[in-house]
Amino acid sequence: MAGQFAQRFNLLAENIERIIRGKREAVELALICLFSEGHLLIEDVPGTGKTTLARAVAASVDAAWRRIQFTPDLLPSDITGVSIFNQASRTFEFHQGPVFANIVLGDEINRASPKTQAALLEVMEERRVTVDSEPHPVPRPFLVVATQNPVDMDGTYPLPEAQLDRFLMRISVGYPDHAAEVQVLKGMPTGPQVERLPVVARASDVAGMIDFATRIHVADPIYDYVVGVVAATRTSPEVRLGASPRASLALLRAARVRAAAAGRHYVVPEDVKALAAPVLAHRLVLTPEAELRERTAGALVGEILAAMPVPQALAGV
């Protein structure tokens, strides 16, 4: 089963790489979020393929997907849906919003008001929307891919810590290298396009892979290692707010998927180390003194990993 998981994972990654060239790590992290039943925040400068990456993931899976363009005048009901009075039946009927899809792309999420951003809090954590005291579950699998630009912050609303904590990972696509950008230029305008990507997995396949990943074996030393890494973020003198227990759960889920993607039925410390920065960095709030020294959360996580003893019995497994 682990071999089948790895084969399908690689097939999806290669399909997406037909559009997103030279960014294998970003593609794999996006797929790990999908199979971890987590959510992905892509933060990068304009034009690097943030939206294209999300669309390519959606196009590769035969599942429903919706795109929401976040703007200052967007209302919460524009996302979750609204109850409308039916004159014929004399009752209120719930009309689903675009969040009722398998993959939801929230473009430039930081341009919406905090009230509208908060409309995603419940559905991202509990996978349901409550309207007029009635819960409405969203389909499975369910993945929110949100994008935001770290520049041009005029008129934007930074995501609060509670919202950031809902995202399993925050990644950056980054600029392509020289060879990859040349291939992009050669492929335009007749090259591969998102609309032409073949579907290589069904929604039921993804759900089965999600279930399999939850059964990946985790030894007791790995549990201790994950908790030790996360706990170190709470005691660091450079951190004002460390990672929560939700971060520990997220890191473990992602490590299980990475192990399965490698064709293994067990987690090794390298899985945790490879995913610690994308999973933990955006959850940390540094002290003002650390920010003045231009310290970054990613660098701090790297130092914690370097100082943390690795379970020796599993280091070479």
Side-chain angles (χ1 to χ4, degrees):
M1 287 293 294
Q4 294 177 7
F5 187 106
Q7 184 179 13
R8 184 158 290 167
F9 187 96
N10 289 328
L11 184 63
L12 278 165
E14 291 170 0
N15 196 56
I16 296 170
E17 278 192 302
R18 297 173 62 182
I19 301 295
I20 306 296
R21 296 184 180 273
K23 295 297 175 182
R24 178 75 179 201
E25 182 180 2
V27 170
E28 290 184 350
L29 289 176
L31 291 177
I32 288 174
C33 277
L34 174 63
F35 296 121
S36 302
E37 288 195 294
H39 307 290
L40 179 65
L41 178 63
I42 309 176
E43 183 178 277
D44 215 328
V45 297
T48 52
K50 302 185 298 295
T51 304
T52 304
L53 173 58
R55 291 181 60 198
V57 173
S60 299
V61 180
D62 185 18
W65 81 281
R66 299 288 185 271
R67 182 178 184 270
I68 307 172
Q69 182 64 53
F70 281 74
T71 56
D73 60 347
L74 193 71
L75 299 176
S77 58
D78 295 331
I79 298 175
T80 59
V82 64
S83 294
I84 299 177
F85 186 72
N86 188 324
Q87 292 283 358
S89 62
R90 310 288 299 177
T91 58
F92 282 93
E93 296 180 353
F94 178 66
H95 289 246
Q96 295 181 348
V99 78
F100 286 87
N102 297 111
I103 300 175
V104 179
L105 168 59
D107 218 357
E108 295 189 285
I109 189 174
N110 56 336
R111 294 205 175 275
S113 67
K115 182 178 181 180
T116 302
Q117 293 173 1
L120 289 171
L121 286 175
E122 180 188 15
V123 69
M124 290 176 66
E125 181 67 16
E126 302 177 24
R127 288 171 174 77
R128 68 178 185 181
V129 172
T130 303
V131 178
D132 297 332
S133 301
E134 288 291 330
H136 303 274
V138 295
R140 192 188 188 208
F142 178 67
L143 170 69
V144 173
V145 181
T147 69
Q148 65 176 7
N149 298 324
V151 296
D152 188 20
M153 302 300 289
D154 293 339
T156 63
Y157 303 87
L159 295 176
E161 284 74 17
Q163 187 93 22
L164 287 173
D165 202 36
R166 295 297 201 277
F167 287 98
L168 182 81
M169 294 184 195
R170 181 179 65 181
I171 67 172
S172 295
V173 179
Y175 293 114
D177 58 31
H178 181 85
E181 193 161 0
V182 168
Q183 290 298 317
V184 171
L185 296 180
K186 287 182 177 180
M188 294 297 290
T190 59
Q193 299 179 3
V194 175
E195 295 80 6
R196 300 176 184 173
L197 273 183
V199 173
V200 295
R202 298 169 298 178
S204 58
D205 298 330
V206 174
M209 294 174 72
I210 291 172
D211 290 336
F212 173 76
T214 62
R215 300 194 298 270
I216 294 296
H217 176 69
V218 180
D220 287 342
I222 296 294
Y223 285 115
D224 292 334
Y225 185 57
V226 170
V227 172
V229 170
V230 174
T233 66
R234 305 168 191 161
T235 58
S236 172
E238 295 183 293
V239 176
R240 182 160 53 93
L241 178 65
S244 66
R246 181 186 287 134
S248 303
L249 295 169
L251 183 55
L252 187 64
R253 292 203 317 267
R256 278 188 160 119
V257 174
R258 188 179 187 273
R264 285 183 274 106
H265 61 274
Y266 53 87
V267 176
V268 296
E270 285 70 22
D271 296 322
V272 178
K273 295 173 69 174
L275 297 169
V279 173
L280 300 180
H282 65 286
R283 306 172 193 266
L284 308 183
V285 180
L286 302 184
T287 61
E289 295 78 12
E291 293 178 346
L292 284 175
R293 294 196 301 270
E294 297 185 349
R295 294 279 284 161
T296 65
L300 181 61
V301 172
E303 293 176 4
I304 289 174
L305 290 172
M308 186 68 57
V310 178
Q312 294 301 316
L314 299 171
V317 174

